[in-house]
Amino acid sequence: MTDVHPVPELMKEGDVVDLLVHQHAVIRDMFEEVERAAPGERHEPFRRLVRMLAVHETAEEEIVHPYTRLRVDGGGEIVADRLKEEHEAKRMLAMLDDLGPEHSEFLPNLDRLRTAVLAHARAEERYEFTRLRAETTAAERRAMALGVRAALAMAPTRPHPGVESMTRNLLFGPPAAIVDRARDLIRQALGRKG
């Protein structure tokens, strides 16, 4: 199963909080899918997980976090904490991507990444998303959902640690997305893993 877009059913959510919480549940399931896969069958579920995490974080960094900074009381501090977590998760994901699913250290590192990503998702839901829901209108959240869907469609498909701000994502993201997506297509055409 090769996705052109990251989990198309996620595109239906009309409220940005609902959309992102749904994505968190899908990401949780994707971690389990990678772990349950037989050693020789982990590549494709892991590739989907990498892609989903990369586009999800980019969309949050471009749309949600800047809005939180502007509209939520204490939003700057909330976002700063989330960006630190995202940077660490991207670093771990890039390392895992370099190792590859066949490496003997893959599963222990995947477990560490899952723990970090799920803790990050819980923190977003508790500290950022509840405040967004309380301090923004339904129309604002619908508009953010549209922005997130657009960002998902244009985001890089691989982790890029150090690119956690809206400005860096907007400057670095489009060229990285083109390179990542071209690399994905070439590898797919050649039948290569990684």
Side-chain angles (χ1 to χ4, degrees):
M1 175 175 159
T2 303
D3 297 335
V4 174
H5 298 287
V7 193
E9 67 270 11
L10 297 176
M11 303 308 224
K12 297 177 195 170
E13 304 293 339
D15 181 296
V16 72
V17 173
D18 294 338
L19 172 64
L20 296 172
V21 168
H22 184 130
Q23 285 184 344
H24 288 169
V26 169
I27 288 166
R28 231 179 348 266
D29 292 346
M30 292 174 108
F31 271 108
E32 289 178 18
E33 182 184 357
V34 174
E35 187 176 70
R36 283 192 318 260
E41 304 291 319
R42 283 191 188 117
H43 174 75
E44 192 53 38
F46 179 63
R47 182 66 32 231
R48 288 192 305 271
L49 175 64
V50 168
R51 182 182 186 98
M52 182 64 189
L53 287 170
V55 299
H56 172 83
E57 293 306 334
T58 298
E60 286 181 340
E61 292 161 4
E62 289 180 0
I63 307 299
V64 180
H65 297 330
Y67 209 84
T68 298
R69 272 194 200 100
L70 291 173
R71 294 282 286 134
V72 170
D73 187 37
E77 188 175 313
I78 292 168
V79 169
D81 291 341
R82 301 301 70 82
L83 291 177
K84 287 177 197 168
E85 296 160 0
E86 289 170 10
H87 174 77
E88 181 60 17
K90 284 181 184 181
R91 189 193 62 71
M92 293 169 70
L93 185 60
M95 183 267 301
L96 258 177
D97 198 26
D98 289 343
L99 278 180
E102 294 80 21
H103 195 279
S104 63
E105 290 298 310
F106 180 79
L107 284 179
N109 282 293
L110 180 70
D111 190 51
R112 283 190 278 285
L113 175 65
R114 177 191 9 235
T115 299
V117 166
L118 296 183
H120 167 70
R122 283 190 302 276
E124 280 182 333
E125 291 172 15
R126 180 176 181 187
Y127 300 112
E128 186 171 10
F129 298 172
T130 55
R131 299 288 297 282
L132 275 174
R133 199 179 298 274
E135 298 181 34
T136 60
T137 66
E140 288 173 302
R141 290 190 308 279
R142 280 192 305 273
M144 279 191 286
L146 289 172
V148 164
R149 285 193 287 277
L152 289 170
M154 299 179 350
T157 61
R158 296 184 183 263
H160 295 280
V163 183
E164 284 84 28
S165 72
M166 179 179 71
T167 303
R168 285 182 181 225
N169 269 302
L170 292 175
L171 291 173
F172 179 73
I178 291 167
V179 170
D180 288 353
R181 290 166 194 262
R183 190 165 105 185
D184 293 345
L185 288 172
I186 291 166
R187 287 184 173 178
Q188 182 181 4
L190 296 174
R192 289 189 185 158
K193 295 181 179 185

